[in-house]
Amino acid sequence: QVQLVESGGGLVQAGDSLRLSCAASGRTFSTYSMGWFRQAPGKDREFVATISRINGATYYLDSVKGRFTIFRDNARNTVFLQMNSLKSEDTAVYYCAASSVVWGVRIIDYESWGQGTQVTVSS
């Protein structure tokens, strides 16, 4: 499994931007599809975005399309989540995840997880 460490969270105002980073250990980062999930207080963890290990294809939660962008830098073993036009409903702990097998949107599709980074958007 790969070890993942997220960073970049913080407290921002509605309309602001943040860029989350997820650094992966090991030399096989390019063989993993990567995903971002989030969990708001009192709610289940939900899928946010994913990027394929094969062709870099991306897929997003409908409510973040056009505002969030997932991208990766395989040379730096890092995946990013650029979040623009943030809303109060984006407030959550954001988790990075890695999958060596499938490119999916389900929690069970991913075998490695980071510890999470808090994003708080004030309205």
Side-chain angles (χ1 to χ4, degrees), residues 2-6 22-23 34-36 45 93-98 111-117:
V2 64
Q3 305 298 316
L4 304 172
V5 179
E6 302 98 332
C22 173
M34 301 298 297
W36 286 97
R45 191 172 299 189
V93 177
Y94 283 72
Y95 297 89
C96 170
E111 70 261 27
S112 299
W113 292 82
Q115 82 290 347
T117 185

Side-chain angles (χ1 to χ4, degrees), residues 8-12 16-20 81-84 86 119-120:
L11 172 63
V12 298
D16 285 352
S17 297
L18 272 179
R19 178 177 292 184
L20 305 183
L81 185 67
Q82 177 67 42
M83 305 186 296
N84 299 330
L86 282 161
V119 172
T120 303

Side-chain angles (χ1 to χ4, degrees), residues 19-84:
R19 178 177 292 184
L20 305 183
S21 300
C22 173
S25 64
R27 294 176 288 180
T28 60
F29 177 73
S30 63
T31 66
Y32 289 87
S33 291
M34 301 298 297
W36 286 97
F37 290 73
R38 67 186 181 187
Q39 187 165 17
K43 295 187 177 182
D44 292 335
R45 191 172 299 189
E46 67 173 353
F47 163 80
V48 176
T50 184
I51 185 165
S52 170
R53 64 185 176 91
I54 297 177
N55 56 8
T58 58
Y59 186 76
Y60 298 92
L61 176 70
D62 281 349
S63 63
V64 309
K65 284 180 181 177
R67 299 190 298 122
F68 291 11
T69 302
I70 185 172
F71 60 101
R72 64 193 299 164
D73 184 341
N74 288 339
R76 295 169 57 188
N77 284 7
T78 303
V79 62
F80 303 92
L81 185 67
Q82 177 67 42
M83 305 186 296
N84 299 330

